[in-house]
Amino acid sequence: MAQLRETTPQVSETASVSSTSTSPERAVYDDTDFFTTQRNDSQSSLGVASLREMTMSPSHDVEHRIPPVSRLPSELLIACFAKLSASVDLRNCMLVSKTWSSNAVDLLWHRPLCTTWPKLQNVAKSVQEASSYYPYRNLVKRLNFSNLSDEINDGTVQPFMHCKRIERLTLTGCKALTDHGVTTVVKGSNNLLALDITGLDAVTDHALKAVAGNCPRLQGLNITNCSKVTDESLAVVARSCRHLKRLKLNDCTLITDESVTAVGRYCPSMLEIDLHNCRQITDESITLLISKGRSLRELRVAHCSLITDNAFLELPKHLAFDSLRILDLTACFQVHDEAVEKIIETSPRLRNLVLAKCKDITDRSVNAITRLGKNLHYIHLGHCAQITDAAVIQLVKMCNRIRYIDLACCHRLTDASVKQLATLPKLRRIGLVKCQSITDRSILCLAKIGMEATGKPMTSSLLERVHLSYCVHLTLSGIHALLNRCPKLTHLSLTGVQAFFLREDLTAFCREAPPEFTEHQRTMFCVFSGVGVNKLRDYLNSDDPASIYEAEGTMYDDREAEDGEADQQVTGMMNATGLGVDDDDMNDDDEAGEGSQYGVEADA
């Protein structure tokens, strides 16, 4: 028996040696990572691990003691850290270990916060230190100084000349910056992809030439309101930065066809271009831009009054521009039905179409637009006063996915149009400002009061924004029903509606009129937004609604038989406040010019 006891360990030792010599070597962390443990792990395998631990070298012993969470692959750590939205949390992660620190530092410095002056100073100090533990200047990829626009000048941005890997630079509203400051930052920035210098009216061609010479990979450029920029520099940018995809030239009034033509010829990847108020642009450049830009998705030429039908009629025949999703022709007065028909023919997948203030547009254009079918989501026909109910009804029948529609100042429209619009299942926003023929019948349809054709009760409305200013025939009862049936309503404009703007108990829930409004405009201003909509709804649903409606009834008792006189009074007030029918359809603060701002994004 004693002899047997002596030989047993030898057999076990031999088996162990044989096992380790013929099997692949296990990683040092296999025995402790819980997610690698198998169900059939036996006590003998644990015993082997213990043996290996006893024979492990000191260096391996240290490595083995590292917690499993610190041995996660860098990809997993970065993915976890990316879920943290607060920079203080990322900073705390950097303090855990060297592994965590090296994987969190990129995320923390990828887009350093420069929202306050002390933060900006700390960032500037760090990027200037060449001997710091991490090369912070090389980690910065995005810089945004717009929150400190009033305090930024050429000296402020000087330290960031060391950051040569910036990809996105936002200098919006930093009006104290000059050519020197912009040139300092972009010099040597070969990785710059997007530059926004909106509102830098001191910037000239010199700065843009520096951009062209240093940023060959540039894809996005926004020089809105840079009024001193001319064709001289933009043509150079187009030739040097041939990867440009997004270009905003809003209110660059010195720009002519030369710049736009250069963009069309040298930037074939252009996706979005905004030429709002570039009043020297003509048909030639627009035709070339569309013809060459086969990937063009968004084209905005609002207030380019020199554009005529020829800009579209001269497009190459038998070519379709399937990529075009957004087209804004606001106040292009010389665009007529023929051009609209050509646009629809060549761009069958248009999603957002703005023809506001194209006053010669008729039902013929609307009938052409109906061919867009389910693709059409946003349509603005404000001030197209020749449109009738027949065209709108046909539009709704053919394009039942419309989410946003504006028909302000279309005086020929009646309740028939609004009743049809109320059938749109996805309608979110409707503009009927100064459509003075509509009555409470329309509003009750928008509120989906009644039964569907199938006999089932109508579902609650999805409406979020309703603009009914100067619809003089509306009453409190109609608006009350609208409020109760539209739970998602966040904006309701009723400026000039007598049933509201003369009632102090109701206007108490309105927001303040814009400071630039005259006294007459303030008197008629009646816009409910956000919490104000909810408060108005609660007030009208109070325990004593009879007194509320009684106030409405007694206010106009002496004029009930004089509807014509009431209409004349409102029209006179509209003219007195400068809000006549030829003015903007939206004169309720944020409603001004809202038609050219899209509430949805164009999809691919």
Side-chain angles (χ1 to χ4, degrees), residues 225-358:
N225 290 322
C226 294
S227 55
K228 296 181 181 179
V229 174
T230 70
D231 293 330
E232 181 183 351
S233 60
L234 274 178
V236 176
V237 170
R239 288 193 293 267
S240 302
C241 306
R242 302 198 176 195
H243 299 289
L244 267 179
K245 294 182 179 180
R246 294 172 175 84
L247 183 61
K248 292 179 72 68
L249 306 177
N250 303 30
D251 295 304
C252 295
T253 54
L254 300 180
I255 299 303
T256 71
D257 287 337
E258 180 183 348
S259 297
V260 180
T261 301
V263 170
R265 287 175 177 167
Y266 299 113
C267 304
S269 302
M270 185 62 62
L271 298 176
E272 305 169 12
I273 185 166
D274 194 337
L275 302 171
H276 177 277
N277 205 35
C278 296
R279 296 181 181 271
Q280 299 189 56
I281 300 299
T282 68
D283 297 338
E284 177 187 356
S285 58
I286 299 302
T287 302
L288 186 142
L289 187 65
I290 299 176
S291 301
K292 298 290 186 181
R294 303 304 300 277
S295 300
L296 192 64
R297 293 176 54 184
E298 301 181 17
L299 174 61
R300 295 183 172 94
V301 289
H303 298 280
C304 296
S305 55
L306 296 181
I307 293 178
T308 70
D309 293 341
N310 290 332
F312 305 99
L313 296 179
E314 296 297 326
L315 289 172
K317 296 181 180 179
H318 311 299
L319 279 183
F321 305 97
D322 292 332
S323 297
L324 193 61
R325 295 291 187 275
I326 295 176
L327 179 61
D328 185 354
L329 297 173
T330 299
C332 293
F333 304 114
Q334 301 187 62
V335 171
H336 302 83
D337 293 332
E338 294 81 2
V340 176
E341 290 176 336
K342 181 66 174 180
I343 290 169
I344 303 303
E345 177 187 344
T346 57
S347 307
R349 300 186 66 186
L350 268 176
R351 184 158 295 182
N352 295 6
L353 180 60
V354 183
L355 297 171
K357 299 183 182 179
C358 296

Side-chain angles (χ1 to χ4, degrees), residues 20 53 113 151 171 231 239 286 327 338 409 424 461 512 526 560 581:
T20 57
E53 287 175 6
L113 291 179
E151 303 176 57
L171 303 172
D231 293 330
R239 288 193 293 267
I286 299 302
L327 179 61
E338 294 81 2
C409 298
L424 290 170
S461 172
E512 291 293 328
C526 187
E560 283 183 352
V581 295

Side-chain angles (χ1 to χ4, degrees), residues 1 6 117-118 126 208 215 223 255 267 284 356 427 434 572:
M1 291 293 294
E6 290 177 0
W117 188 252
S126 298
L208 283 190
C215 311
I223 58 172
I255 299 303
C267 304
E284 177 187 356
L427 189 62
K434 299 178 187 175

Side-chain angles (χ1 to χ4, degrees), residues 434 469-470 472 493-498 500-502 507 510 513 517-527 569-579 587-588:
K434 299 178 187 175
S469 295
Y470 303 106
V472 295
S493 69
L494 296 167
T495 297
V497 178
Q498 289 178 318
F500 278 81
F501 79 88
L502 293 177
T507 57
C510 290
F517 273 24
T518 65
E519 186 61 32
H520 291 293
Q521 290 173 327
R522 290 176 178 275
T523 300
M524 301 180 68
F525 184 81
C526 187
V527 177
Q569 180 190 21
V570 172
T571 302
M573 294 181 70
M574 289 167 60
N575 293 331
T577 56
L579 300 179
N587 279 284
D588 298 330

Side-chain angles (χ1 to χ4, degrees), residues 397-411:
K397 289 180 178 179
M398 301 298 293
C399 306
N400 61 359
R401 293 191 180 183
I402 293 176
R403 292 166 169 82
Y404 302 81
I405 187 167
D406 199 316
L407 298 166
C409 298
C410 295
H411 305 293

Side-chain angles (χ1 to χ4, degrees), residues 33 54 78 91 122 223 234 243 313 386 399 402 436 459 467 470 473 497 514 516 562:
D33 282 354
M54 290 186 293
I78 293 174
R91 179 180 177 277
N122 289 336
I223 58 172
L234 274 178
H243 299 289
L313 296 179
Q386 299 186 50
C399 306
I402 293 176
Q436 298 182 16
T459 57
H467 305 268
Y470 303 106
H473 295 296
V497 178
E516 65 271 16
E562 304 177 11

Side-chain angles (χ1 to χ4, degrees), residues 533-544:
V533 174
N534 297 329
K535 289 183 177 180
L536 177 63
R537 182 188 293 114
D538 293 341
Y539 176 72
L540 295 178
N541 291 332
S542 62
D543 295 334
D544 189 18

